[in-house]
Structures are given as structure tokens and as C-alpha cells.
Amino acid sequence: MRILAIETSADETGVAIIEASGTGEKDFSFKVLGNALLSQAELHTRYGGIFPNLAKREHGRNLVPVLMEALRQSDEIVQGKHDVSEDQIKSLEPLLEREKELYTFLSEFFRAYDKPNVDAIAVTMGPGLEPALWVGINFARALAQAWNLPIVPVNHLEGHILVARAKDGALAAIDEPAIALLVSGGHTELVLMESWMRYQTIGTTRDDAAGEAFDKTARLMGLSYPGGPEISKLAKDARERDLPRTVELPRPMIRDESYDFSFSGLKTAVKNIVETWKSADHDTRATLARETEDAIVDVLLAKTRRAVEEHAAQTVIVGGGVSANDHLRKAFAEEFRDKAHVLFPSHEFSTDNAVMIALAGYFKAEKKEFISPDDLRANGNLRLAN
Ligand code: KG4
Ligand code: ZN
């Protein structure tokens, strides 16, 4: 079965096409035929985070070129028979009335290219920024209507979990129960997985997400967006050169009984330190970057460790943009070396992409869990549920 997937929940516009088979985690196999991604990060830099209406506009502009790139990679772009008629194109106009630019691009696309060989369309329905999610959803509806294909709605978080298990065209076998830690710009979630595709959220953030903490503290230090990779680079330098530890940040809620997180206090603590800087040289920044990275990773690790112990978890899955962090990877690998099997996504699939949406979409499409296009709604706060 071939799945064409669309991801627009934050600032990455992604379209991917996978070919997959199997009915469950054990006999599943897949191949990525096309994977196109366009990041808007540079545009959002001046806001120090994602500016929702700008993200929406950019998705509208980028979706058709990104779709074409994914089709090109998969050799599915055929110039040709015009199998979508002018009447059909016209009938899509109301669907895309809020995305005028997208409608124009898509009309041109249908006039020039044929329907690709795919069986279903998967699209992120949440969580994420609703204006951004809606563009992807309306695009999915338009493609489904024009090409007469079914749609499967995908939970972005499930995509992050599944892609962390994707190894060599299959899913790495895991022992249950498993604990998943999802850490990205928009979410910080601890999830208990007792069995295949059963999820129970046991902890979440009360304010800023882990990635947001990286992004906001980076901004205070004068670093560009996204802040995670910037802080990580500086912190690495401080570690390698063993710079003295001259600043100390709090580890919010590290001893709290719940599995919840709170990162907004870190921002304030970093702000207070930065305000004492007269002029900050490289080493001063690197020292603070390392302490910030340590503080975030210490809290994530402590909560995950306790969840693993309490639930006797055999496997730890870490996903989401922050899972790209090398210090976090090392700390988790060391901590659980003799206790649990730790899985991380490949670096390429740590941050948002549409391959992860295609993977999660496949398992729904395989069970024919399609949604009527009219019922499809963006849900910015969508949770993982059983
Ligand atoms: O999963 P993702 O691409 O988008 C969301 O779903 O939010 O995650 C993006 C987040 C950003 O906050 C970014 O700063 C963070 O992931 N990030 C990192 C690293 N690479 C990306 N954080 C720490 N270290 C990294 N190397
Ligand atoms: Zn994400």
C-alpha cells in the first residue's frame, strides 16, 4: 500500500510517500519513496519562535512545490492526461477559500500532472498550531477529492513514536511495557505504552515545552531560532574544553511526585543571569549554554527514570525535535544501559517530517480507519489516547 502523507503542524512543510506492507509491528516493512521538507525556521528567527499566521501563509505557498518534489523523488510525477477536469478543479475552490494562493498553485498542478499511484492520504490533525494544521488538512481534502482517495487523520505524537522505532525499513522489536518521552518545540510528554498502539499519557508540561525552553533561553542569550541546536553547539564546546561551572540554574520539579514538567522558571533564571552580563564573551555564553542543557536533560532523565522504575519498563523511546540533542542521547544511553533498551530516531527523522506521519497513517489505512473529509478537524491539543 502506498501512503502520501502531509505534515504542517509547526514550521516544517512536509510531504512524503511510502510503500508499506504488513498488518502489525512484527511483519511491517516499508520503503521511503519520496520525502520532501521545507523549513521555515529562518523566517521565524526574528520572533524567537513560530509566528502562527506566518507559518500558515508559508505552508500555503510551499505545499504544492513540496508535493512536487516528493512526487519527483518517487518517480510519480507524470505530465499528462489531465485526469482532473476543469470542473473538478473549480469544485475545490470553496474548500480552499481561505488558502487562495494554495488554490492557485494546486489548480496549475492539476492542469499539468497526473494522479500518482497512491492508495491513501495521511495528514496530521494535531497537536500543533491550528492555523498551520488547517492548511495541511484542507490540502489533504482537496487532493483526496480530486484524486478520489481516502484520508486517514494522524496524531503527530504517534508519528514521533513510530519513527523512533523505524530501522532498516522495519520497526525495531520492543519489549513492553515501554515508556516514551516526547520532547519538541510544542510538547513534553511521558507516555506509558503497555502494548502495541496503546498509549497512556502519564506526564506533560505545565507551561513551556522542553524545546521551547531551549528556544526561549537561546533567544535571551542572543542565539538564533531554533535554539536547541545553537545551545547544544555551545554546550559541546564548554564540555570539550572543560570550562569551569560558574553558573547554576534550577532543575524545576525534579523532585515533584508527579510526572509533570515545568520549564518556564528556567527562562526567568537565564534572564536574570543574562541581565548581569556587561558584555558576554564566547566562554560566558558557552558556560550558560551547558548549564541550560544540563538542567533540561537532568529533569527529563530524572522523570523518565522514575517512570521506568515504577512501571518496570523494558524499553525507552525518545522522540521529537529535542531527541536530536547529543548530550540527551548520551545521558539516556548511559543511564539505561543495563536497565532498558533505549531507542532514538535517526537524526534525519528527529525533527518534524512527513515520513513519520506516513508510518502512523499506514497502520490506520491498513485497518481502513478512514475519516470522512467533512469530519476532519484540526485539534491543536490532541492527546495520545487508547
Ligand atoms: O519535533 P520538532 O521538529 O517540532 C515540533 O513538533 O515542535 O521540534 C523542534 C524543537 C525546537 O524547539 C528545537 O529547538 C528543538 O526541537 N531541537 C533541539 C535540537 N534540535 C532541535 N533541542 C535540543 N538539541 C537539539 N540538537
Ligand atoms: Zn514534532
Side-chain angles (χ1 to χ4, degrees), residues 7 9 156-157 160 184-185 187 320-321 350-352 356:
E7 157 63 35
S9 68
H156 181 88
L157 300 176
H160 274 305
S184 72
H187 2 267
S350 294
T351 46
D352 289 349
M356 66 188 215

Side-chain angles (χ1 to χ4, degrees), residues 200-386:
Q200 190 191 335
T201 305
I202 58 173
T204 183
T205 184
R206 295 190 181 168
D207 40 57
D208 292 351
E212 207 175 353
F214 275 105
D215 295 336
K216 289 183 173 170
T217 52
R219 190 173 195 214
L220 289 166
M221 291 181 225
L223 306 170
S224 60
Y225 171 84
E230 298 296 314
I231 293 214
S232 171
K233 234 185 285 163
L234 276 177
K236 183 164 179 260
D237 186 46
R239 277 179 229 288
E240 280 172 1
R241 291 165 50 227
D242 204 17
L243 294 177
R245 293 175 182 276
T246 50
V247 282
E248 205 178 323
L249 292 173
R251 272 45 176 175
M253 289 181 75
I254 198 163
R255 277 181 248 290
D256 184 85
E257 298 251 304
S258 77
Y259 289 117
D260 285 346
F261 302 86
S262 164
F263 289 108
S264 73
L266 265 182
K267 203 170 48 192
T268 318
V270 166
K271 187 162 178 273
N272 291 339
I273 291 170
V274 169
E275 276 170 1
T276 67
W277 287 354
K278 292 196 180 62
S279 68
D281 58 15
H282 173 85
D283 287 6
T284 308
R285 283 174 202 275
T287 303
L288 182 56
R290 175 184 53 191
E291 178 63 9
T292 306
E293 189 176 68
D294 276 344
I296 296 170
V297 172
D298 284 355
V299 176
L300 295 175
L301 186 59
K303 298 261 167 175
T304 309
R305 180 198 298 129
R306 208 151 53 68
V308 166
E309 284 165 4
E310 185 178 327
H311 296 282
Q314 309 284 306
T315 310
V316 177
I317 298 174
V318 191
V322 180
S323 73
N325 186 277
D326 286 330
H327 176 62
L328 179 146
R329 288 184 178 224
K330 234 173 110 202
F332 272 66
E334 270 168 27
E335 169 67 33
F336 296 111
R337 182 172 296 137
D338 306 315
K339 302 175 195 156
H341 187 45
V342 188
L343 288 171
F344 295 103
S346 66
H347 273 283
E348 179 190 8
F349 295 135
S350 294
T351 46
D352 289 349
N353 60 85
V355 170
M356 66 188 215
I357 305 308
L359 292 175
Y362 169 78
F363 289 103
K364 293 191 133 194
E366 199 271 326
K367 284 186 271 172
K368 300 211 166 13
E369 288 175 10
F370 302 124
I371 189 166
S372 146
D374 293 339
D375 295 339
L376 186 54
R377 296 259 171 288
N379 181 349
N381 300 313
L382 187 68
R383 305 299 298 263
L384 272 172
N386 288 332

Side-chain angles (χ1 to χ4, degrees), residues 145-185:
Q145 188 175 317
W147 289 337
N148 195 20
L149 290 171
I151 303 182
V152 279
V154 171
N155 183 317
H156 181 88
L157 300 176
E158 186 165 38
H160 274 305
I161 293 180
L162 283 173
V163 84
R165 290 183 58 187
K167 303 272 158 1
D168 304 323
L171 288 182
I174 60 168
D175 292 318
E176 277 131 357
I179 292 287
L181 172 70
L182 296 173
V183 271
S184 72

